[in-house]
Amino acid sequence: MSADLDDTDRALLRLLMADGDMGAAALGAAVGLSQPAAWRRVKRLESLGIITGRQLELDRHKLGYEVVVFLGIKLAAKGRVGLEDFERAVSAIPEVQLVQHVLGVYDYRIKVVARDLADFERILRRRIMTLPGVGEVESNVLLSEEKSSITML
Amino acid sequence: MQIDHIDRKILRLMQVDPGISTADLAQQAGMTVAPCWRRLEKLKKAGVLLGKRVVVDRRALGYAVQVFLRINLDKTAPNAFDTFLAAARAVPEVETIQTLLGRVDIRMDVIARDLAHYQEIYKTQILALPHIADIEALMLVS
């Protein structure tokens, strides 16, 4: 399961998780490798499936998205409407940023971005409540968030 | 800064393919490279485009379990939020802490190597956090 990574690999991952734009030269300089050696290590991490991709980081406030809401969704008619139908429909909503299938009091956890609360209400009524098989929906508005991903490394 | 529909189009294209070259980006946005590059620079300078982050598969690093905890705090305790957050921050396996408005006060992402490891974290570290009134767990399937 866990690939054998040495301290240099972990250091490279830490740097790339903070700034995915870092080139092989800068990475190499930071961990004490030549540019080609750093490049080969990053390629290896990609081919091992440890680095799965890159994600754009945007300031949502500057783009006019002031509200983030997490929804817990319970499906009403399990079996009748397949999970796949629900997933396909929910993923097609442009304001939905994340769809997670979970075990527990809810079936799905989704993240929605909206310009303001009125915009969120529109999305909830027109798009979420009309999803195939949707049952109970719980909304929690994000007030603040802090992250740290260093433990894994 | 004013963000127009062309800027938004560029950002949408980049979200779909973060590794896209400026040349391809310009072509798909219907412009030449120089103005596309200038727009990117402008978006970076204005702090709209913050950069790129590498996405790491935690499973490949040996963390197979991710649990979302939904926590309600005992708000009658003075400074319940601050005391709780400070203590939660100190638990290394807690990856994300969100303060919410709704039925749940706090949401946390916890990662663990396996279920036994999770259970240990839950018992010794999570349940030891101050002012918890109620706690619910959702486990990530996909």
Side-chain angles (χ1 to χ4, degrees):
Chain A
M1 183 85 135
S2 181
D4 44 355
L5 299 180
D6 60 20
D7 289 344
T8 310
D9 290 322
R10 289 169 196 277
L12 287 171
L13 284 173
R14 257 196 296 274
L15 290 165
L16 283 169
M17 281 165 87
D19 179 5
D21 281 328
M22 270 181 98
L27 287 171
V31 300
L33 289 175
S34 68
Q35 178 176 347
W39 186 83
R40 275 196 302 275
R41 288 224 182 212
V42 173
K43 286 289 146 199
R44 178 174 163 267
L45 291 169
E46 285 171 2
S47 65
L48 285 172
I50 290 167
I51 295 177
T52 54
R54 284 173 170 75
Q55 213 174 32
L56 208 59
E57 278 199 287
L58 301 171
D59 184 329
R60 63 178 168 85
H61 295 286
K62 290 196 170 138
L63 288 165
Y65 289 92
E66 295 294 341
V67 174
V68 174
V69 184
F70 287 93
L71 299 177
I73 298 181
K74 227 188 262 186
L75 296 188
K78 264 176 244 170
R80 245 184 298 161
V81 178
L83 298 180
E84 281 164 31
D85 290 336
F86 176 84
E87 281 175 20
R88 204 173 309 124
V90 77
S91 305
I93 302 172
E95 290 88 354
V96 169
Q97 284 203 324
L98 183 70
V99 179
Q100 289 168 323
H101 183 197
V102 291
L103 290 180
V105 273
Y106 292 99
D107 296 313
Y108 284 95
R109 196 179 152 254
I110 69 173
K111 180 183 178 185
V112 174
V113 290
R115 300 190 169 275
D116 49 36
L117 280 176
D119 187 36
F120 171 69
E121 193 190 359
R122 179 190 62 82
I123 298 163
L124 185 65
R125 281 175 187 237
R126 297 214 190 138
R127 299 199 186 259
I128 308 288
M129 296 307 220
T130 56
L131 286 169
V134 73
E136 193 190 317
V137 177
E138 180 199 294
S139 310
N140 288 297
V141 178
L142 182 69
L143 296 177
S144 71
E145 180 172 50
E146 38 189 295
K147 279 177 183 281
S148 84
S149 301
I150 305 305
T151 317
M152 296 196 289
L153 306 167
Chain B
M1 124 182 216
Q2 210 53 19
I3 299 161
D4 63 16
H5 71 281
I6 301 169
D7 293 324
R8 286 181 192 272
K9 185 172 183 184
I10 290 174
L11 293 175
R12 264 199 301 275
L13 288 166
M14 287 182 78
Q15 271 187 313
V16 175
D17 179 8
I20 194 168
S21 68
T22 311
D24 289 343
L25 188 62
Q27 198 197 8
Q28 287 182 40
M31 59 175 73
T32 53
V33 174
C36 182
W37 186 84
R38 274 198 300 275
R39 278 179 185 269
L40 285 177
E41 286 303 305
K42 201 181 64 177
L43 287 166
K44 277 181 205 161
K45 226 169 141 189
V48 177
L49 182 54
L50 300 171
K52 271 174 254 168
R53 209 160 32 99
V54 152
V55 183
V56 170
D57 181 1
R58 66 187 158 73
R59 266 170 280 214
L61 288 172
Y63 284 85
V65 172
Q66 184 169 6
V67 177
F68 306 127
L69 293 176
R70 299 151 48 87
I71 296 165
N72 277 308
L73 298 180
D74 172 14
K75 269 88 71 186
T76 58
N79 294 323
F81 272 89
D82 293 340
T83 325
F84 176 87
L85 289 173
R89 250 174 238 137
V91 180
E93 287 83 6
V94 170
E95 271 213 311
T96 308
I97 307 173
Q98 297 170 333
T99 315
L100 301 168
L101 182 66
R103 225 180 73 185
V104 176
D105 294 324
I106 306 274
R107 231 196 46 86
M108 304 198 304
D109 289 0
V110 179
I111 55 164
R113 299 192 174 276
D114 50 37
L115 277 176
H117 183 213
Y118 171 72
Q119 206 178 5
E120 186 202 310
I121 297 164
Y122 185 74
K123 274 205 272 192
T124 60
Q125 308 206 59
I126 304 294
L127 290 181
L129 294 172
H131 309 308
I132 296 178
D134 185 28
I135 189 162
E136 253 173 24
L138 297 176
M139 198 173 137
L140 183 68
V141 181
S142 65

